[in-house]
Amino acid sequence: QVQLVESGGGLVQPGGSLRLSCAASGSIGGINRMGWYRQAPGLERELVAAISIGRIINYAESVKGRFTISRDKNTVYLQMNSLKPEDTAVYYCNAKGDWTGTSYRHDLWGQGTQVTVSA
């Protein structure tokens, strides 16, 4: 299976920027969509942004206009600008692949990278 490794998290002041990267290693095939989720303490994991193989992009309403997702071969990026304290969370890379017509055979997750927005 494929391993997803995230990087780029850290501590940043409100209004600052971070760029997250997620690199897929191992044998890769049939990946339909890659994206980023996040989970803050006490809250459920939520979709932040996703990009399909056809470059169709979806963003959470809370990050539209501030975050940009992109994909280059086996790596997906999340450029985060104008960061707010409420963006603080663990960010997880996700990859879904091998669509059967009803579901995905693969639903892969990275280990997560911490993003903290604080003065």
Side-chain angles (χ1 to χ4, degrees):
Q1 59 268 22
V2 176
Q3 181 177 338
L4 304 178
V5 180
E6 304 103 331
S7 63
L11 175 64
V12 66
Q13 293 182 324
S17 298
L18 286 173
R19 191 189 192 201
L20 305 183
S21 299
C22 174
S25 62
S27 181
I28 303 173
I31 300 297
N32 296 99
R33 193 183 83 156
M34 297 187 72
W36 293 91
Y37 290 72
R38 68 185 181 187
Q39 187 167 21
L43 300 178
E44 294 185 346
R45 187 173 299 185
E46 65 172 347
L47 174 69
V48 177
I51 182 168
S52 73
I53 191 68
R55 296 295 193 268
I56 298 172
I57 297 173
N58 293 307
Y59 292 105
E61 289 295 326
S62 60
V63 307
K64 285 184 177 178
R66 300 189 297 120
F67 291 9
T68 302
I69 190 170
S70 60
R71 183 179 179 180
D72 181 27
K73 297 182 180 179
N74 65 336
T75 304
V76 64
Y77 305 94
L78 186 67
Q79 178 67 47
M80 304 186 293
N81 299 326
S82 302
L83 283 162
K84 305 174 180 179
E86 50 263 46
D87 294 317
T88 296
V90 177
Y91 285 69
Y92 297 91
C93 181
N94 172 256
K96 293 178 169 62
D98 287 337
W99 177 246
T100 67
T102 57
S103 64
Y104 290 102
R105 289 176 179 243
H106 307 294
D107 191 2
L108 309 175
W109 294 91
Q111 66 182 21
T113 184
Q114 177 71 47
V115 172
T116 302
V117 185
S118 176

mmCIF file of all heavy atoms in Angstrom, residues 25-66:
data_model
loop_
_atom_site.group_PDB
_atom_site.id
_atom_site.type_symbol
_atom_site.label_atom_id
_atom_site.label_comp_id
_atom_site.label_asym_id
_atom_site.label_seq_id
_atom_site.Cartn_x
_atom_site.Cartn_y
_atom_site.Cartn_z
ATOM 1 N N SER A 25 4.376 7.735 -1.056
ATOM 2 C CA SER A 25 5.473 6.835 -1.388
ATOM 3 C C SER A 25 4.950 5.416 -1.562
ATOM 4 O O SER A 25 3.908 5.050 -1.024
ATOM 5 C CB SER A 25 6.547 6.864 -0.304
ATOM 6 O OG SER A 25 6.036 6.421 0.938
ATOM 7 N N GLY A 26 5.710 4.626 -2.303
ATOM 8 C CA GLY A 26 5.293 3.269 -2.579
ATOM 9 C C GLY A 26 4.593 3.167 -3.924
ATOM 10 O O GLY A 26 4.603 4.099 -4.719
ATOM 11 N N SER A 27 3.993 2.036 -4.158
ATOM 12 C CA SER A 27 3.286 1.798 -5.407
ATOM 13 C C SER A 27 1.993 2.580 -5.428
ATOM 14 O O SER A 27 1.146 2.433 -4.539
ATOM 15 C CB SER A 27 3.006 0.304 -5.575
ATOM 16 O OG SER A 27 2.346 0.052 -6.799
ATOM 17 N N ILE A 28 1.834 3.390 -6.454
ATOM 18 C CA ILE A 28 0.666 4.256 -6.571
ATOM 19 C C ILE A 28 -0.097 3.935 -7.850
ATOM 20 O O ILE A 28 0.476 3.867 -8.932
ATOM 21 C CB ILE A 28 1.068 5.735 -6.572
ATOM 22 C CG1 ILE A 28 1.853 6.079 -5.309
ATOM 23 C CG2 ILE A 28 -0.165 6.618 -6.697
ATOM 24 C CD1 ILE A 28 2.434 7.471 -5.319
ATOM 25 N N GLY A 29 -1.389 3.775 -7.701
ATOM 26 C CA GLY A 29 -2.234 3.534 -8.854
ATOM 27 C C GLY A 29 -3.687 3.715 -8.503
ATOM 28 O O GLY A 29 -4.133 3.332 -7.415
ATOM 29 N N GLY A 30 -4.434 4.314 -9.415
ATOM 30 C CA GLY A 30 -5.862 4.460 -9.228
ATOM 31 C C GLY A 30 -6.292 5.475 -8.192
ATOM 32 O O GLY A 30 -7.390 5.357 -7.654
ATOM 33 N N ILE A 31 -5.439 6.459 -7.901
ATOM 34 C CA ILE A 31 -5.800 7.507 -6.956
ATOM 35 C C ILE A 31 -6.747 8.491 -7.632
ATOM 36 O O ILE A 31 -6.382 9.122 -8.625
ATOM 37 C CB ILE A 31 -4.560 8.240 -6.428
ATOM 38 C CG1 ILE A 31 -3.619 7.260 -5.710
ATOM 39 C CG2 ILE A 31 -4.976 9.368 -5.496
ATOM 40 C CD1 ILE A 31 -4.233 6.620 -4.491
ATOM 41 N N ASN A 32 -7.945 8.615 -7.100
ATOM 42 C CA ASN A 32 -8.956 9.487 -7.674
ATOM 43 C C ASN A 32 -8.973 10.879 -7.065
ATOM 44 O O ASN A 32 -9.252 11.858 -7.753
ATOM 45 C CB ASN A 32 -10.344 8.868 -7.525
ATOM 46 C CG ASN A 32 -10.503 7.588 -8.289
ATOM 47 O OD1 ASN A 32 -10.390 6.507 -7.720
ATOM 48 N ND2 ASN A 32 -10.754 7.722 -9.594
ATOM 49 N N ARG A 33 -8.686 10.956 -5.775
ATOM 50 C CA ARG A 33 -8.774 12.224 -5.080
ATOM 51 C C ARG A 33 -7.791 12.286 -3.930
ATOM 52 O O ARG A 33 -7.601 11.303 -3.211
ATOM 53 C CB ARG A 33 -10.199 12.433 -4.550
ATOM 54 C CG ARG A 33 -10.483 13.850 -4.085
ATOM 55 C CD ARG A 33 -11.875 13.990 -3.517
ATOM 56 N NE ARG A 33 -11.916 13.566 -2.113
ATOM 57 C CZ ARG A 33 -12.817 13.978 -1.233
ATOM 58 N NH1 ARG A 33 -13.773 14.826 -1.603
ATOM 59 N NH2 ARG A 33 -12.776 13.535 0.008
ATOM 60 N N MET A 34 -7.161 13.431 -3.774
ATOM 61 C CA MET A 34 -6.310 13.685 -2.624
ATOM 62 C C MET A 34 -6.793 14.959 -1.957
ATOM 63 O O MET A 34 -7.310 15.861 -2.619
ATOM 64 C CB MET A 34 -4.843 13.825 -3.016
ATOM 65 C CG MET A 34 -4.242 12.569 -3.621
ATOM 66 S SD MET A 34 -2.447 12.696 -3.886
ATOM 67 C CE MET A 34 -1.865 12.626 -2.177
ATOM 68 N N GLY A 35 -6.638 15.009 -0.653
ATOM 69 C CA GLY A 35 -7.107 16.179 0.039
ATOM 70 C C GLY A 35 -6.562 16.303 1.436
ATOM 71 O O GLY A 35 -5.736 15.504 1.884
ATOM 72 N N TRP A 36 -7.048 17.332 2.101
ATOM 73 C CA TRP A 36 -6.643 17.632 3.465
ATOM 74 C C TRP A 36 -7.862 17.712 4.364
ATOM 75 O O TRP A 36 -8.868 18.339 4.008
ATOM 76 C CB TRP A 36 -5.884 18.960 3.528
ATOM 77 C CG TRP A 36 -4.554 18.924 2.843
ATOM 78 C CD1 TRP A 36 -4.285 19.241 1.543
ATOM 79 C CD2 TRP A 36 -3.312 18.542 3.436
ATOM 80 N NE1 TRP A 36 -2.948 19.084 1.289
ATOM 81 C CE2 TRP A 36 -2.322 18.654 2.435
ATOM 82 C CE3 TRP A 36 -2.939 18.121 4.713
ATOM 83 C CZ2 TRP A 36 -0.984 18.357 2.676
ATOM 84 C CZ3 TRP A 36 -1.605 17.822 4.947
ATOM 85 C CH2 TRP A 36 -0.651 17.947 3.941
ATOM 86 N N TYR A 37 -7.762 17.073 5.510
ATOM 87 C CA TYR A 37 -8.741 17.172 6.569
ATOM 88 C C TYR A 37 -8.060 17.758 7.793
ATOM 89 O O TYR A 37 -6.835 17.747 7.897
ATOM 90 C CB TYR A 37 -9.318 15.801 6.924
ATOM 91 C CG TYR A 37 -10.218 15.201 5.865
ATOM 92 C CD1 TYR A 37 -9.702 14.719 4.667
ATOM 93 C CD2 TYR A 37 -11.591 15.093 6.086
ATOM 94 C CE1 TYR A 37 -10.523 14.163 3.704
ATOM 95 C CE2 TYR A 37 -12.421 14.524 5.122
ATOM 96 C CZ TYR A 37 -11.875 14.061 3.939
ATOM 97 O OH TYR A 37 -12.700 13.503 2.992
ATOM 98 N N ARG A 38 -8.843 18.241 8.722
ATOM 99 C CA ARG A 38 -8.275 18.733 9.966
ATOM 100 C C ARG A 38 -9.190 18.386 11.126
ATOM 101 O O ARG A 38 -10.393 18.216 10.956
ATOM 102 C CB ARG A 38 -8.023 20.239 9.920
ATOM 103 C CG ARG A 38 -9.274 21.106 9.870
ATOM 104 C CD ARG A 38 -8.901 22.571 9.697
ATOM 105 N NE ARG A 38 -10.078 23.430 9.669
ATOM 106 C CZ ARG A 38 -10.048 24.728 9.397
ATOM 107 N NH1 ARG A 38 -8.885 25.322 9.132
ATOM 108 N NH2 ARG A 38 -11.153 25.441 9.399
ATOM 109 N N GLN A 39 -8.588 18.294 12.297
ATOM 110 C CA GLN A 39 -9.339 17.984 13.498
ATOM 111 C C GLN A 39 -8.794 18.799 14.659
ATOM 112 O O GLN A 39 -7.619 18.706 15.000
ATOM 113 C CB GLN A 39 -9.277 16.492 13.824
ATOM 114 C CG GLN A 39 -10.174 16.084 14.971
ATOM 115 C CD GLN A 39 -10.324 14.582 15.071
ATOM 116 O OE1 GLN A 39 -9.500 13.830 14.561
ATOM 117 N NE2 GLN A 39 -11.390 14.143 15.718
ATOM 118 N N ALA A 40 -9.663 19.599 15.242
ATOM 119 C CA ALA A 40 -9.330 20.390 16.413
ATOM 120 C C ALA A 40 -9.855 19.674 17.655
ATOM 121 O O ALA A 40 -10.791 18.871 17.568
ATOM 122 C CB ALA A 40 -9.934 21.783 16.304
ATOM 123 N N PRO A 41 -9.268 19.955 18.817
ATOM 124 C CA PRO A 41 -9.728 19.301 20.048
ATOM 125 C C PRO A 41 -11.219 19.489 20.277
ATOM 126 O O PRO A 41 -11.732 20.606 20.191
ATOM 127 C CB PRO A 41 -8.908 19.995 21.131
ATOM 128 C CG PRO A 41 -7.657 20.428 20.433
ATOM 129 C CD PRO A 41 -8.122 20.837 19.067
ATOM 130 N N GLY A 42 -11.911 18.401 20.560
ATOM 131 C CA GLY A 42 -13.331 18.451 20.836
ATOM 132 C C GLY A 42 -14.221 18.510 19.614
ATOM 133 O O GLY A 42 -15.452 18.530 19.761
ATOM 134 N N LEU A 43 -13.644 18.546 18.434
ATOM 135 C CA LEU A 43 -14.414 18.639 17.203
ATOM 136 C C LEU A 43 -14.179 17.424 16.314
ATOM 137 O O LEU A 43 -13.173 16.730 16.436
ATOM 138 C CB LEU A 43 -14.054 19.909 16.435
ATOM 139 C CG LEU A 43 -14.280 21.239 17.148
ATOM 140 C CD1 LEU A 43 -13.832 22.394 16.263
ATOM 141 C CD2 LEU A 43 -15.743 21.409 17.520
ATOM 142 N N GLU A 44 -15.121 17.184 15.415
ATOM 143 C CA GLU A 44 -14.974 16.097 14.459
ATOM 144 C C GLU A 44 -14.019 16.492 13.345
ATOM 145 O O GLU A 44 -13.847 17.671 13.040
ATOM 146 C CB GLU A 44 -16.332 15.708 13.871
ATOM 147 C CG GLU A 44 -17.302 15.114 14.864
ATOM 148 C CD GLU A 44 -18.582 14.640 14.212
ATOM 149 O OE1 GLU A 44 -18.831 14.999 13.042
ATOM 150 O OE2 GLU A 44 -19.327 13.886 14.859
ATOM 151 N N ARG A 45 -13.418 15.500 12.734
ATOM 152 C CA ARG A 45 -12.553 15.748 11.600
ATOM 153 C C ARG A 45 -13.383 16.288 10.438
ATOM 154 O O ARG A 45 -14.457 15.773 10.130
ATOM 155 C CB ARG A 45 -11.838 14.462 11.195
ATOM 156 C CG ARG A 45 -10.790 14.655 10.120
ATOM 157 C CD ARG A 45 -9.995 13.376 9.893
ATOM 158 N NE ARG A 45 -9.277 12.964 11.095
ATOM 159 C CZ ARG A 45 -8.436 11.938 11.148
ATOM 160 N NH1 ARG A 45 -8.198 11.219 10.066
ATOM 161 N NH2 ARG A 45 -7.831 11.630 12.286
ATOM 162 N N GLU A 46 -12.884 17.330 9.797
ATOM 163 C CA GLU A 46 -13.607 17.959 8.708
ATOM 164 C C GLU A 46 -12.737 18.096 7.467
ATOM 165 O O GLU A 46 -11.518 18.227 7.554
ATOM 166 C CB GLU A 46 -14.115 19.345 9.122
ATOM 167 C CG GLU A 46 -13.008 20.354 9.402
ATOM 168 C CD GLU A 46 -13.513 21.766 9.634
ATOM 169 O OE1 GLU A 46 -14.695 22.037 9.350
ATOM 170 O OE2 GLU A 46 -12.718 22.614 10.103
ATOM 171 N N LEU A 47 -13.388 18.072 6.324
ATOM 172 C CA LEU A 47 -12.693 18.293 5.063
ATOM 173 C C LEU A 47 -12.293 19.750 4.947
ATOM 174 O O LEU A 47 -13.110 20.647 5.159
ATOM 175 C CB LEU A 47 -13.587 17.907 3.892
ATOM 176 C CG LEU A 47 -13.028 18.229 2.498
ATOM 177 C CD1 LEU A 47 -11.836 17.333 2.183
ATOM 178 C CD2 LEU A 47 -14.105 18.069 1.430
ATOM 179 N N VAL A 48 -11.041 19.984 4.592
ATOM 180 C CA VAL A 48 -10.542 21.329 4.350
ATOM 181 C C VAL A 48 -10.537 21.630 2.860
ATOM 182 O O VAL A 48 -11.063 22.643 2.406
ATOM 183 C CB VAL A 48 -9.129 21.517 4.932
ATOM 184 C CG1 VAL A 48 -8.595 22.915 4.614
ATOM 185 C CG2 VAL A 48 -9.130 21.267 6.429
ATOM 186 N N ALA A 49 -9.924 20.749 2.093
ATOM 187 C CA ALA A 49 -9.842 20.918 0.649
ATOM 188 C C ALA A 49 -9.515 19.584 0.008
ATOM 189 O O ALA A 49 -8.862 18.740 0.612
ATOM 190 C CB ALA A 49 -8.776 21.957 0.277
ATOM 191 N N ALA A 50 -9.966 19.406 -1.212
ATOM 192 C CA ALA A 50 -9.681 18.181 -1.946
ATOM 193 C C ALA A 50 -9.558 18.492 -3.429
ATOM 194 O O ALA A 50 -10.169 19.436 -3.929
ATOM 195 C CB ALA A 50 -10.775 17.136 -1.721
ATOM 196 N N ILE A 51 -8.769 17.677 -4.116
ATOM 197 C CA ILE A 51 -8.580 17.840 -5.550
ATOM 198 C C ILE A 51 -8.623 16.476 -6.210
ATOM 199 O O ILE A 51 -7.966 15.534 -5.771
ATOM 200 C CB ILE A 51 -7.262 18.589 -5.847
ATOM 201 C CG1 ILE A 51 -7.089 18.802 -7.357
ATOM 202 C CG2 ILE A 51 -6.066 17.863 -5.249
ATOM 203 C CD1 ILE A 51 -5.968 19.771 -7.698
ATOM 204 N N SER A 52 -9.404 16.353 -7.266
ATOM 205 C CA SER A 52 -9.559 15.092 -7.969
ATOM 206 C C SER A 52 -8.522 14.950 -9.063
ATOM 207 O O SER A 52 -7.780 15.883 -9.378
ATOM 208 C CB SER A 52 -10.965 14.987 -8.566
ATOM 209 O OG SER A 52 -11.093 15.855 -9.682
ATOM 210 N N ILE A 53 -8.477 13.769 -9.667
ATOM 211 C CA ILE A 53 -7.541 13.526 -10.762
ATOM 212 C C ILE A 53 -7.829 14.448 -11.933
ATOM 213 O O ILE A 53 -6.921 14.797 -12.689
ATOM 214 C CB ILE A 53 -7.598 12.039 -11.202
ATOM 215 C CG1 ILE A 53 -6.433 11.718 -12.145
ATOM 216 C CG2 ILE A 53 -8.933 11.726 -11.863
ATOM 217 C CD1 ILE A 53 -5.097 11.750 -11.458
ATOM 218 N N GLY A 54 -9.076 14.874 -12.064
ATOM 219 C CA GLY A 54 -9.463 15.809 -13.104
ATOM 220 C C GLY A 54 -9.331 17.257 -12.688
ATOM 221 O O GLY A 54 -9.812 18.143 -13.400
ATOM 222 N N ARG A 55 -8.706 17.485 -11.561
ATOM 223 C CA ARG A 55 -8.431 18.828 -11.035
ATOM 224 C C ARG A 55 -9.690 19.566 -10.575
ATOM 225 O O ARG A 55 -9.708 20.799 -10.524
ATOM 226 C CB ARG A 55 -7.670 19.671 -12.055
ATOM 227 C CG ARG A 55 -6.276 19.137 -12.391
ATOM 228 C CD ARG A 55 -5.377 19.186 -11.173
ATOM 229 N NE ARG A 55 -3.967 18.989 -11.509
ATOM 230 C CZ ARG A 55 -3.347 17.807 -11.525
ATOM 231 N NH1 ARG A 55 -4.015 16.701 -11.235
ATOM 232 N NH2 ARG A 55 -2.062 17.750 -11.832
ATOM 233 N N ILE A 56 -10.734 18.823 -10.251
ATOM 234 C CA ILE A 56 -11.901 19.421 -9.625
ATOM 235 C C ILE A 56 -11.584 19.636 -8.154
ATOM 236 O O ILE A 56 -11.147 18.717 -7.466
ATOM 237 C CB ILE A 56 -13.140 18.534 -9.789
ATOM 238 C CG1 ILE A 56 -13.470 18.365 -11.273
ATOM 239 C CG2 ILE A 56 -14.323 19.120 -9.035
ATOM 240 C CD1 ILE A 56 -14.562 17.364 -11.544
ATOM 241 N N ILE A 57 -11.822 20.839 -7.676
ATOM 242 C CA ILE A 57 -11.402 21.231 -6.337
ATOM 243 C C ILE A 57 -12.604 21.604 -5.481
ATOM 244 O O ILE A 57 -13.518 22.287 -5.932
ATOM 245 C CB ILE A 57 -10.418 22.412 -6.405
ATOM 246 C CG1 ILE A 57 -9.138 21.995 -7.141
ATOM 247 C CG2 ILE A 57 -10.091 22.931 -5.009
ATOM 248 C CD1 ILE A 57 -8.180 23.133 -7.400
ATOM 249 N N ASN A 58 -12.567 21.162 -4.243
ATOM 250 C CA ASN A 58 -13.572 21.527 -3.258
ATOM 251 C C ASN A 58 -12.892 22.108 -2.025
ATOM 252 O O ASN A 58 -11.872 21.595 -1.575
ATOM 253 C CB ASN A 58 -14.406 20.314 -2.848
ATOM 254 C CG ASN A 58 -15.263 19.785 -3.973
ATOM 255 O OD1 ASN A 58 -16.017 20.531 -4.594
ATOM 256 N ND2 ASN A 58 -15.168 18.490 -4.242
ATOM 257 N N TYR A 59 -13.472 23.174 -1.489
ATOM 258 C CA TYR A 59 -12.975 23.795 -0.272
ATOM 259 C C TYR A 59 -14.079 23.883 0.770
ATOM 260 O O TYR A 59 -15.253 24.066 0.441
ATOM 261 C CB TYR A 59 -12.475 25.216 -0.525
ATOM 262 C CG TYR A 59 -11.240 25.331 -1.373
ATOM 263 C CD1 TYR A 59 -11.318 25.751 -2.692
ATOM 264 C CD2 TYR A 59 -9.983 25.048 -0.847
ATOM 265 C CE1 TYR A 59 -10.181 25.876 -3.470
ATOM 266 C CE2 TYR A 59 -8.840 25.168 -1.617
ATOM 267 C CZ TYR A 59 -8.944 25.588 -2.932
ATOM 268 O OH TYR A 59 -7.811 25.718 -3.700
ATOM 269 N N ALA A 60 -13.682 23.786 2.027
ATOM 270 C CA ALA A 60 -14.604 24.118 3.090
ATOM 271 C C ALA A 60 -14.915 25.611 3.027
ATOM 272 O O ALA A 60 -14.050 26.419 2.667
ATOM 273 C CB ALA A 60 -14.005 23.766 4.448
ATOM 274 N N GLU A 61 -16.139 25.972 3.370
ATOM 275 C CA GLU A 61 -16.531 27.374 3.313
ATOM 276 C C GLU A 61 -15.643 28.245 4.197
ATOM 277 O O GLU A 61 -15.360 29.397 3.849
ATOM 278 C CB GLU A 61 -17.993 27.530 3.733
ATOM 279 C CG GLU A 61 -18.995 26.990 2.723
ATOM 280 C CD GLU A 61 -18.979 27.750 1.418
ATOM 281 O OE1 GLU A 61 -18.745 28.978 1.433
ATOM 282 O OE2 GLU A 61 -19.216 27.126 0.362
ATOM 283 N N SER A 62 -15.175 27.703 5.279
ATOM 284 C CA SER A 62 -14.386 28.475 6.224
ATOM 285 C C SER A 62 -12.996 28.847 5.711
ATOM 286 O O SER A 62 -12.350 29.730 6.270
ATOM 287 C CB SER A 62 -14.244 27.704 7.542
ATOM 288 O OG SER A 62 -13.600 26.468 7.343
ATOM 289 N N VAL A 63 -12.535 28.183 4.648
ATOM 290 C CA VAL A 63 -11.187 28.448 4.147
ATOM 291 C C VAL A 63 -11.176 29.025 2.742
ATOM 292 O O VAL A 63 -10.101 29.373 2.232
ATOM 293 C CB VAL A 63 -10.305 27.186 4.186
ATOM 294 C CG1 VAL A 63 -10.309 26.563 5.570
ATOM 295 C CG2 VAL A 63 -10.743 26.170 3.134
ATOM 296 N N LYS A 64 -12.325 29.146 2.112
ATOM 297 C CA LYS A 64 -12.382 29.693 0.758
ATOM 298 C C LYS A 64 -11.807 31.097 0.718
ATOM 299 O O LYS A 64 -12.104 31.930 1.563
ATOM 300 C CB LYS A 64 -13.825 29.708 0.244
ATOM 301 C CG LYS A 64 -14.353 28.351 -0.166
ATOM 302 C CD LYS A 64 -15.760 28.456 -0.746
ATOM 303 C CE LYS A 64 -16.257 27.107 -1.218
ATOM 304 N NZ LYS A 64 -17.640 27.180 -1.750
ATOM 305 N N GLY A 65 -10.970 31.332 -0.278
ATOM 306 C CA GLY A 65 -10.328 32.621 -0.423
ATOM 307 C C GLY A 65 -9.043 32.752 0.345
ATOM 308 O O GLY A 65 -8.301 33.730 0.155
ATOM 309 N N ARG A 66 -8.756 31.799 1.219
ATOM 310 C CA ARG A 66 -7.545 31.848 2.027
ATOM 311 C C ARG A 66 -6.596 30.685 1.744
ATOM 312 O O ARG A 66 -5.379 30.857 1.778
ATOM 313 C CB ARG A 66 -7.888 31.852 3.516
ATOM 314 C CG ARG A 66 -8.737 33.042 3.946
ATOM 315 C CD ARG A 66 -8.868 33.109 5.468
ATOM 316 N NE ARG A 66 -9.553 31.931 6.014
ATOM 317 C CZ ARG A 66 -9.015 31.087 6.889
ATOM 318 N NH1 ARG A 66 -7.772 31.290 7.331
ATOM 319 N NH2 ARG A 66 -9.705 30.046 7.341
#
